[in-house]
Amino acid sequence: MQKESKANVSGAPVLSVKDVSYYYGDKQALDDVSFEVLPGRVTALLGPNGAGKTTLFSLITRLFDAPIGRIEICGLSPAEVGSRALAPLGVVFQQPTLDLDLTVKQNLRYFASLRGIPRKEADERMGRALDALDTRERIGERVRALNGGHRRRVEIARGILHSPDLLLLDEPTIGLDNPTRMAIVEHIHRLAEDDNIGVLWATHLFDEIEPDDDLIVLDKGRIVARGRAKDVVKETGAEDLGAAFKLLTSDPHEGVAA
Amino acid sequence: MNVAHLIRAFNGIVGREMLRFLQQRERFFAAMVRPLIWLIVFAAGFRAALGVNIQPPYETYITYQVYITPGLLAMIQLFNGMQSSLSMVYDREMGSMRVLLTTPLPRSYLLFCRLFGSVLVSLVQVYAFLLVAYLFGIDLPSTAVQFSEQGDVYMLPSLTALISVLPALVLTGMMFGAMGMLISSTIKQLENFAGVMNFVIFPMFFASSALYPLWKMREGSVVLYYVCLWNPFTYAVELIRFAFYEQVNWEALAVVGGCTIVFLGLSAWAYDPSRGIQQRKVGAAA
C-alpha cells in the first residue's frame, strides 16, 4: 500500500481548515474556523463541551460535508475528491469503535482490509503497532475481555496501522486512569516526532498538553486563541494553562486539570 | 484506490459479517427454529384444512407444507435483513460504523459490501433450513438416485433446484437487506428497533402469498388481496417459488429488482454525508 500524499516529506500542512462555518438549522456550531496542522507536530484542540470539537472532527472525517469553507487533508479536499481524501488520515474517535465480539487481531485485520493492506503486511504492521503500545500479548483476546486502557491502546494502534500522515484523536484518554493517560500522551508525542505525523488532539484535560505543542482554543464555535501552548499562556498573563483557559472561554468549569 | 483495494475491502467487510454470524450461535438457531415451527407444527396442522389447487409453478397437487416453504425461505431472509438493519443501528451506536464510513472508498460501495455480507449470511441460513426440510421429508424438488443396479432408489435434494433458486435468493436477500439499511438510517435509537421490526416483519409476512395463494386471499377479502398485491414480500416469495422449480416469474423479478434499486438508492442517499440523515443525528450530539 502506498501513501497518496508526500505532505509529511515536504513539510506542507497535513491538515488545512479554512474559513469553515457550520450550522445545525439556525444554530451556529462553527464560526469561520481556520487553522493548520503541520507534520511532526501535536496540535491540541482545547475547548469546553459544546465548543464545536466533535462537529469539526465530523467535518474533517467526512461524516458530513462542510458546506461553508474548505478543508484539505494533505492538499486534497474531501468535498472535491470524496472519500479518497481520507486515505492519509488515521482517527481515534472519542466513542469506542472496536468490535467487542472480535479479537484484537480480527479487529485490526478488518481495518487493514478497509485500507487495502495485504494480509501478510497487515500482520507485520499490527505486531509493530501493538509492540509500540505494549499490547501485543493481547492480540488473540476478544476486545470484550480487555480493560478500558488496553482498548484505547488498540484503537490507537488501529489509527496508526496504515502509517497515516494525519492522526485525529478525539479525547482518546477519556475514562482512563492517570498513568495510562500519561503513557498514551507520551507515546503520541513520540509517534509524531519519530514518524513525522501531524496530530490533532481534541481534549479538555490541560495536563495532556505540553508547553511546546501547538494550541487552538475553541469556544462556542470560534477560535479564541492559537499558538504554542506556552505562548498562549504568556499572552493571557495567566499562571498556567488552566488559568489561561478560564480567561479565554466563557465556561470556567469545563476544563479539567486532572 | 485500486481494484486490489476494493477486493480487500470487500473480503474484509463480508468476512466480518460471517465472523459475527458464526460467533452468534443463538442467532443461527433462532433463524432455524422460527420457520421450522411454521413448517412442522403450523403447516402440518393446517395440511388437512387448507388444500391448494394446482397452480403454477406446480404441476400437480401439493401439500400445504410444500406450498409455504418458499414463503418461509423469504421469511428467513426478511428476518435476516432486519437483523442486519439492527446490526447497523448497533454499529452506529457503538461507533464501529464510523470506522467504515471514514474508509477512503466510495460510501455506496462500502454499503454494498455490507449488504452483500448480510445476503451471504442469509444464504447459509436458507440452505440449512432447506436441508432440515428435506430431512423431515417435505416433498420438495428431488432427484431419484440409484447407487447400484439392484440397489434401493434414494430421493435426494435436486441439485438443479438448489442452484436455480440461488440467484432469486441473492436478489430477494439484497432487497430485504437494502430495505433494512434504509430503515436503519431512519431509526434514532436501538431501543426503538423492536417496535419497528414487528411493524415491518409481521404485516409483510401475513399480507402476502407466503401462507395462502392470492386467489384464496381474494375469496376472503378483496381489500386484503389488493394489500398483498402491493406488498413486495409477495413478489419475493413468488420469485423464490418459481425459481425453486426452475422457472422465472418475470413480474416478480421486475418488482423485486425495482424495489432493490429503489431501496439501495434511498439508502445511499440517507448515508450521503452532504445531505444524509446521519448529519442530523451527529449534530444532535455535537
Side-chain angles (χ1 to χ4, degrees):
Chain A
M1 197 195 68
Q2 292 178 329
K3 285 186 182 180
E4 292 199 7
S5 159
K6 302 290 180 203
N8 61 352
V9 177
S10 67
V14 287
L15 174 68
S16 169
V17 176
K18 288 178 192 165
D19 309 324
V20 168
S21 296
Y22 197 80
Y23 294 83
Y24 295 111
D26 295 334
K27 189 186 165 198
Q28 187 165 23
L30 291 173
D31 181 7
D32 205 24
V33 170
S34 298
F35 66 91
E36 288 180 341
V37 174
L38 298 173
R41 301 283 308 159
V42 174
T43 302
L45 184 63
L46 187 65
N49 290 336
K53 301 194 293 291
T54 300
T55 299
L56 189 56
F57 270 55
S58 296
L59 293 172
I60 297 168
T61 54
R62 205 175 169 249
L63 286 174
F64 43 88
D65 280 342
I68 305 169
R70 184 176 177 84
I71 292 172
E72 285 182 8
I73 300 166
C74 298
L76 294 176
S77 162
E80 287 171 6
V81 303
S83 307
R84 193 161 61 89
L86 303 177
L89 180 67
V91 192
V92 178
F93 293 103
Q94 182 179 356
Q95 193 183 11
T97 55
L98 294 168
D99 193 323
L100 300 180
D101 292 321
L102 301 186
T103 64
V104 170
K105 189 173 193 172
Q106 287 167 338
N107 266 286
L108 295 182
R109 274 188 174 169
Y110 167 62
F111 178 79
S113 70
L114 293 178
R115 293 287 170 163
I117 304 171
R119 173 72 67 95
K120 194 178 167 196
E121 189 183 337
D123 288 351
E124 288 167 9
R125 282 175 181 242
M126 76 174 74
R128 285 199 299 271
L130 291 172
D131 270 343
L133 289 149
D134 300 324
T135 322
R136 188 164 192 159
E137 72 281 5
R138 306 288 183 145
I139 194 164
E141 290 184 32
R142 283 198 188 190
V143 171
R144 197 179 289 281
L146 302 182
N147 63 32
H150 280 110
R151 288 184 192 184
R152 294 313 280 177
R153 284 168 195 251
V154 174
E155 296 231 22
I156 294 169
R158 186 181 60 184
I160 59 173
L161 197 67
H162 56 299
S163 309
D165 290 317
L166 170 64
L167 182 60
L168 299 185
L169 301 158
D170 191 1
E171 305 199 15
T173 59
I174 210 157
L176 301 182
D177 59 46
N178 225 26
T180 308
R181 280 195 319 109
M182 288 302 116
I184 288 176
V185 169
E186 188 190 335
H187 181 75
I188 292 296
H189 280 85
R190 200 170 58 237
L191 195 73
E193 201 176 320
D194 294 349
D195 294 353
N196 207 30
I197 297 174
V199 176
L200 181 63
W201 181 311
T203 184
H204 62 276
L205 301 172
F206 307 129
D207 62 349
E208 292 181 349
I209 302 168
E210 295 186 354
D212 271 333
D213 288 344
D214 293 324
L215 176 67
I216 296 163
V217 182
L218 198 63
D219 185 38
K220 292 180 178 171
R222 290 173 54 246
I223 292 179
V224 293
R226 74 176 78 210
R228 292 283 166 107
K230 60 186 178 191
D231 295 337
V232 170
V233 174
K234 202 172 170 183
E235 281 166 20
T236 56
E239 279 184 11
D240 55 24
L241 188 55
F245 184 74
K246 283 181 187 175
L247 289 171
L248 289 165
T249 62
S250 50
D251 189 343
H253 303 296
E254 284 290 347
V256 182
Chain B
M1 183 179 72
N2 52 37
V3 176
H5 187 174
L6 291 172
I7 292 171
R8 283 185 195 118
F10 177 86
N11 290 341
I13 295 168
V14 172
R16 176 177 178 262
E17 287 301 297
M18 289 302 287
L19 260 178
R20 283 169 64 103
F21 173 67
L22 292 173
Q23 287 175 352
Q24 296 168 347
R25 292 191 189 91
E26 304 84 0
R27 182 179 162 190
F28 179 72
F29 287 120
M32 288 295 99
V33 166
R34 200 181 299 117
L36 281 174
I37 287 175
W38 279 96
L39 187 67
I40 293 159
V41 181
F42 178 84
F46 278 71
R47 184 176 176 165
L50 298 170
V52 179
N53 274 346
I54 299 173
Q55 63 172 72
Y58 307 111
E59 293 170 348
T60 179
Y61 282 100
I62 51 162
T63 64
Y64 185 59
Q65 287 155 315
V66 171
Y67 178 80
I68 70 164
T69 298
L72 296 180
L73 300 183
M75 184 174 85
I76 292 172
Q77 293 200 296
L78 178 62
F79 265 97
N80 188 74
M82 291 299 106
Q83 183 81 35
S84 169
S85 168
L86 173 67
S87 169
M88 286 192 83
V89 177
Y90 178 82
D91 278 0
R92 202 178 63 216
E93 294 222 339
M94 293 298 114
S96 48
M97 180 62 77
R98 288 174 176 231
V99 176
L100 187 68
L101 296 181
T102 52
T103 299
L105 291 174
R107 197 164 287 188
S108 51
Y109 178 73
L110 297 168
L111 293 174
F112 171 80
C113 293
R114 187 75 158 69
L115 183 60
F116 199 81
S118 154
V119 173
L120 276 187
V121 167
S122 83
L123 291 179
V124 173
Q125 297 171 28
V126 162
Y127 279 101
F129 171 75
L130 275 175
L131 181 67
V132 177
Y134 274 110
L135 289 174
F136 270 97
I138 310 299
D139 189 19
L140 298 172
S142 303
T143 312
V145 178
Q146 195 173 16
F147 291 104
S148 63
E149 232 171 75
Q150 275 80 39
D152 294 334
V153 175
Y154 294 94
M155 296 303 289
L156 295 180
S158 162
L159 199 59
T160 50
L162 293 178
I163 292 171
S164 73
V165 77
L166 181 61
L169 290 170
V170 170
L171 188 59
T172 52
M174 294 285 276
M175 181 179 81
F176 294 133
M179 190 179 80
M181 196 175 277
L182 181 62
I183 292 170
S184 77
S185 69
T186 64
I187 293 172
K188 287 181 180 167
Q189 289 170 326
L190 202 58
E191 293 78 16
N192 300 342
F193 201 82
V196 175
M197 265 180 107
N198 287 334
F199 185 73
V200 172
I201 289 175
F202 293 109
M204 278 192 92
F205 179 65
F206 287 115
S208 75
S209 61
L211 296 176
Y212 319 101
L214 290 188
W215 63 264
K216 215 166 181 95
M217 200 72 88
R218 190 171 200 166
E219 282 178 358
S221 162
V222 176
V223 174
L224 193 56
Y225 168 75
Y226 282 106
V227 170
C228 294
L229 273 187
W230 281 94
N231 181 359
F233 191 83
T234 294
Y235 298 92
V237 172
E238 294 310 312
L239 187 66
I240 293 170
R241 191 190 307 283
F242 276 72
F244 204 36
Y245 290 86
E246 298 166 45
Q247 297 175 42
V248 180
N249 183 325
W250 294 104
E251 185 190 18
L253 179 63
V255 173
V256 172
C259 286
T260 305
I261 291 168
V262 170
F263 291 147
L264 271 175
L266 288 173
S267 301
W269 174 82
Y271 279 93
D272 188 293
S274 64
R275 55 184 178 276
I277 295 157
Q278 297 300 305
Q279 189 165 339
R280 298 200 290 275
K281 284 180 188 140
V282 179

